[in-house]
Amino acid sequence: MNQKIKIVFIAIMLVAAVFLSGCVDSNSVDESKSGSDQVAENDNNSKMMSVQEDIGTNEINENANIYSVNTTTNNTTSAYSLNTTNTTSSYTHYSSGGSSSKKSDSSSKETITVSAAASLTEAFTNIEKEFETENPDIDVVCNFGASGTLRTQIEGGAPVDVFASAAEDQMDKLASNGFVYNDTREDFAKNSLVMITQKGNVLGLTGMQDLTNPEVEKISIGNPDSVPAGKYAKEALTNAGLWDSVSNKTILAENVKQALVYVETGEAEAGFVFSTDASSAKSGSIEVVTSVPVTTPITYPIAVVSSTQHKEDSQLFIDFVTGEKGQPILEQYGFVTETQNGTNQITDMVGRELTVPEHIDSVIATSPPSTILVYMLAPDKLAGWNFVNSYDHTLMDDKYLNLPVIGGWYGTETGNYETMISLNPDIVIEGYNTQGDLNDTILPRQESFGSIPVVAVSGSTVYVLKSEPTIEFMGTLLDCEDQADKLIDFRDSVLTEINNTIKDIPEDQRVHVYYAEGPKGLATDPSGSQHSQVIDICGGINVANCTLTPGNGMTAVSMENVIAWNPEVILTPNPQFYNSVYSDPLWANIDAVANKRVYLAPQNPMCWIDRPQGAHLILGTAWTAKVLYPDQFSDMDLESLTSEFYSDFFHYDLTEEELNSLLYPETEA
């Protein structure tokens, strides 16, 4: 106990000395130290650990209020302050950061003080230098800390001229109470949240769900009450249903830089920081595990504080930050700026107004129909596949074939948000899915993807006859209108030829077709199903008199059903069934089998007629017309159509051997 009293006494004396000398500093992070193990339990028994860096002691303080002397070494400067975990309205915390040691000639220069979020430390230190070079009569003193703490300082009367926050809500609180000039407020940068661990990732962490593992004992986050990165982290963990499970492991840092240090030094196995902070980490100290979804964009506002005596000079600084000189500096440190990537306002296909990047370079989609359309229109923008191509020799360029498999929401599949977000896509496409109507799924999907725009695209891509509006929309969205027009022209040409031909075929001469699914051929989809649509489009009569199973389809039928229907033609997407049907005595008396009219749909790089559905079924429709009515479509050059389609939309030039293997597969029977 005597030792504690002695520490507090030393703290008070040091702070008094600081104030007498006119130099004030707090909330700084000593990155030269490994951190400490001084832990205080919350008085609300939440079991969160609040770590403070003490001088020469490592002890547990059981009081809710912790008093300690912090020391920060920045080049040759040290500053001391008395810290308390209780925030008051009086001016008790003020940190001047790395710039506080700068000496200026007060007789010839105006000094402005800039209180900026800790995540801006490196960028604003550079901006400060460049601004002073351009404005030699102005001396800038930068004060870095947690945005919430800096806000409290301003409310308590701290002599601050400019405030730059890492969260809109901290600026909103000042604005609502008249502490900043609203007409000077501007958003100047954006950031993202990441989960980090020490270099090497010895625990094999892959996402937030791994934080519940017993091997993870400590997780560093900024104090959610004052540190925006901590607030975003808590929200993300809460939204993932993990907060209650991991909150007792959290070490609450005073700012985001301190949260980074705890992981760098091994005080915590994992942590949450902004991506710019991860980029500024000591070389070889940490690695990013995954990007973290947030519910609101991480936007940085800046404004002039209303108590300033230097409004004009303060505005000059803001203009520099938001102008052609300051924005590239922010980009250099990993921030996203308006000059780097502008934005466009769009209306998606369910009528939602949203903001997307002006230049979209990376796209993922939540289900195969939309993913395939992105690949067909703008393959270099596609960031990942929903499914695995399992062919020995896939007819696709390796640079597309080797894109990561990210899953999605379709059929019986369920996607993983963390996996998708880790790819840092510019936008997410939400189209056809089996979870419900697009109008019902889009808002929860946007909430889960956080600040990444989720663009609703009509599920019409699963229907060949309805796909044109979606193709047009995607062409405009992805800035590939010419490619979209080319696909629409191909589609229209095929459909026109089919319609003009089948309209002259009498009903009693239409071919009776069975769509055989599954390894035994005893699952099917009747007329009207999206899965058997090519039969309907091409004028075939689907013999399946069974229930249409919504969603994934594949209604089970019996051999007796198929014998009774006795189809003239059987189409199948299943190679196992195709290779066994001619040798299976159960199928021998079916007309299609007896007459050798069982056809395996081309499979590579994806099935032409079903599963996955998508705009590529346009080519499958031409193939279906040719196999159902070879005489009527004798003039259709399917080989040329196939080569053209693969070159233009699958971005692969077929060899003659590859073309023949697609159109004329051999049976193993």
Side-chain angles (χ1 to χ4, degrees):
M1 184 65 186
N2 291 336
Q3 178 69 9
K4 294 182 182 179
I5 294 172
K6 184 185 295 184
I7 292 170
V8 173
F9 177 76
I10 293 172
I12 295 171
M13 294 300 291
L14 287 170
V15 172
V18 169
F19 273 90
L20 288 173
S21 66
C23 176
V24 188
D25 191 356
S26 74
N27 292 337
S28 302
V29 177
D30 185 353
E31 297 193 15
S32 68
K33 294 195 282 186
S34 63
S36 84
D37 295 320
Q38 181 180 352
V39 178
E41 292 190 62
N42 271 353
D43 45 5
N44 63 358
N45 295 320
S46 67
K47 296 182 181 180
M48 297 178 190
M49 292 174 279
S50 178
V51 177
Q52 300 249 338
E53 300 200 39
D54 205 359
I55 292 184
T57 64
N58 291 318
E59 61 180 40
I60 299 177
N61 188 330
E62 297 178 353
N63 295 324
N65 297 326
I66 300 175
Y67 301 92
S68 66
V69 181
N70 283 359
T71 177
T72 299
T73 302
N74 192 328
N75 297 329
T76 59
T77 333
S78 294
Y80 303 90
S81 66
L82 181 66
N83 282 341
T84 173
T85 56
N86 282 351
T87 301
T88 65
S89 60
S90 63
Y91 170 43
T92 57
H93 300 292
Y94 188 62
S95 71
S96 54
S99 302
S100 63
S101 62
K102 185 175 56 185
K103 295 181 180 180
S104 63
D105 183 356
S106 60
S107 62
S108 60
K109 290 186 177 183
E110 293 286 353
T111 299
I112 61 171
T113 300
V114 177
S115 281
S119 53
L120 292 165
T121 300
E122 293 82 12
F124 264 37
T125 299
N126 196 340
I127 284 175
E128 171 197 326
K129 184 196 311 180
E130 296 299 322
F131 175 80
E132 289 179 341
T133 299
E134 191 169 294
N135 300 274
D137 294 333
I138 303 175
D139 187 34
V140 177
V141 176
C142 283
N143 165 41
F144 300 108
S147 297
T149 302
L150 299 176
R151 170 186 60 79
T152 303
Q153 293 170 359
I154 293 170
E155 292 171 337
V160 177
D161 301 292
V162 175
F163 178 46
S165 173
E168 297 281 7
D169 62 344
Q170 301 296 341
M171 187 70 78
D172 291 342
K173 291 174 182 177
L174 290 180
S176 64
N177 291 300
F179 285 102
V180 295
Y181 289 107
N182 279 322
D183 59 351
T184 67
R185 178 173 176 173
E186 291 189 58
D187 293 339
F188 65 93
K190 292 183 179 180
N191 215 332
S192 58
L193 190 69
V194 294
M195 175 180 153
I196 61 172
T197 189
Q198 274 197 305
K199 190 68 176 180
N201 193 5
V202 295
L203 297 182
L205 304 179
T206 61
M208 290 193 295
Q209 73 280 355
D210 293 337
L211 297 177
T212 60
N213 295 345
E215 295 83 3
V216 179
E217 296 179 355
K218 293 180 182 179
I219 305 163
S220 69
I221 70 170
N223 188 330
D225 293 336
S226 59
V227 183
K231 175 176 175 287
Y232 290 123
K234 181 179 178 181
E235 287 178 354
L237 289 166
T238 300
N239 291 338
L242 298 172
W243 178 251
D244 290 342
S245 300
V246 303
S247 60
N248 63 331
K249 301 181 180 184
T250 56
I251 301 175
L252 301 188
E254 293 181 3
N255 55 53
V256 69
K257 293 297 185 185
Q258 196 174 54
L260 174 65
V261 169
Y262 290 145
V263 177
E264 285 183 320
T265 58
E267 296 281 352
E269 289 82 14
F272 291 86
V273 298
F274 291 133
S275 61
T276 52
D277 299 299
S279 298
S280 71
K282 296 174 183 176
S283 178
S285 62
I286 62 103
E287 64 181 73
V288 173
V289 175
T290 184
S291 295
V292 178
V294 294
T295 55
T296 55
I298 301 173
T299 305
Y300 287 63
I302 190 169
V304 176
V305 178
S306 57
S307 61
T308 182
Q309 301 298 309
H310 313 289
K311 184 177 181 183
E312 184 176 336
D313 292 341
S314 298
Q315 185 62 58
L316 278 176
F317 182 81
I318 291 177
D319 292 343
F320 188 91
V321 170
T322 59
E324 60 182 14
K325 300 286 183 65
Q327 294 284 281
I329 295 174
L330 288 159
E331 293 166 13
Q332 176 185 338
Y333 290 95
F335 291 93
V336 176
T337 69
E338 292 300 317
T339 59
Q340 180 187 37
N341 193 2
T343 59
N344 286 329
Q345 295 295 123
I346 68 165
T347 303
D348 68 12
M349 296 189 77
V350 296
R352 295 166 60 242
E353 300 286 337
L354 68 162
T355 302
V356 299
E358 181 180 4
H359 302 293
I360 297 172
D361 298 315
S362 178
V363 181
I364 61 172
T366 59
S367 63
S370 300
T371 295
I372 292 168
L373 186 55
V374 174
Y375 170 61
M376 292 172 67
L377 298 182
D380 292 326
K381 298 179 188 288
L382 184 64
W385 295 100
N386 307 113
F387 54 91
V388 178
N389 286 301
S390 57
Y391 306 107
D392 291 335
H393 173 60
T394 303
L395 304 179
M396 182 183 292
D397 190 289
D398 284 346
K399 69 177 179 179
Y400 306 126
L401 178 63
N402 294 329
L403 289 172
V405 177
I406 59 176
W409 290 268
Y410 60 97
T412 60
E413 301 295 319
T414 300
N416 182 289
Y417 287 108
E418 288 185 39
T419 299
M420 294 184 177
I421 292 170
S422 69
L423 297 178
N424 295 313
D426 293 322
I427 62 170
V428 175
I429 302 294
E430 169 82 347
Y432 172 81
N433 67 81
T434 53
Q435 290 189 305
D437 185 84
L438 184 59
N439 289 281
D440 298 326
T441 63
I442 187 64
L443 293 181
R445 196 80 76 215
Q446 179 65 79
E447 182 177 343
S448 296
F449 276 107
S451 60
I452 303 173
V454 180
V455 181
V457 172
S458 169
S460 66
T461 46
V462 304
Y463 299 103
V464 173
L465 298 181
K466 300 178 181 179
S467 59
E468 182 174 348
T470 304
I471 297 171
E472 287 182 341
F473 177 86
M474 290 281 275
T476 302
L477 178 68
L478 302 180
D479 193 26
C480 53
E481 290 92 341
D482 290 346
Q483 181 74 350
D485 289 343
K486 184 188 294 185
L487 179 58
I488 291 170
D489 288 345
F490 186 98
R491 166 191 174 276
D492 290 348
S493 176
V494 168
L495 291 178
T496 296
E497 182 174 359
I498 290 173
N499 290 333
N500 287 341
T501 301
I502 65 173
K503 66 181 176 62
D504 295 327
I505 301 176
E507 188 71 20
D508 60 358
Q509 295 180 26
R510 299 287 178 103
V511 176
H512 290 69
V513 186
Y514 174 67
Y515 180 39
E517 300 179 89
K520 295 184 177 180
L522 294 178
T524 192
D525 288 285
S527 178
S529 168
Q530 66 198 40
H531 299 288
S532 59
Q533 61 180 296
V534 294
I535 298 172
D536 295 338
I537 294 170
C538 295
I541 297 176
N542 191 326
V543 299
N545 182 17
C546 62
T547 302
L548 191 159
T549 302
N552 201 43
M554 295 187 71
T555 301
V557 297
S558 66
M559 193 68 231
E560 289 75 14
N561 292 141
V562 179
I563 292 171
W565 296 332
N566 194 24
E568 300 169 77
V569 169
I570 294 175
L571 305 183
T572 182
N574 193 288
Q576 184 176 344
F577 170 73
Y578 178 71
N579 287 324
S580 65
V581 66
Y582 286 117
S583 60
D584 189 334
L586 294 176
W587 291 83
N589 294 324
I590 303 294
D591 282 352
V593 177
N595 296 322
K596 305 294 184 183
R597 296 201 68 188
V598 179
Y599 301 98
L600 175 67
Q603 303 286 302
N604 198 339
M606 56 201 72
C607 182
W608 286 15
I609 64 172
D610 187 23
R611 293 189 181 86
Q613 288 92 34
H616 65 292
L617 265 61
I618 295 167
L619 181 59
T621 304
W623 173 84
T624 302
K626 185 81 171 179
V627 299
L628 294 189
Y629 301 105
D631 294 337
Q632 288 86 343
F633 287 96
S634 59
D635 292 336
M636 177 184 281
D637 188 349
L638 188 59
E639 293 183 359
S640 294
L641 284 175
T642 301
S643 295
E644 177 188 348
F645 190 90
Y646 269 68
S647 179
D648 289 346
F649 306 114
F650 283 166
H651 320 289
Y652 186 90
D653 293 327
L654 293 167
T655 65
E656 183 176 354
E657 182 181 358
E658 290 168 340
L659 178 63
N660 289 333
S661 70
L662 281 169
L663 299 180
Y664 314 112
E666 295 182 1
T667 176
E668 296 177 2

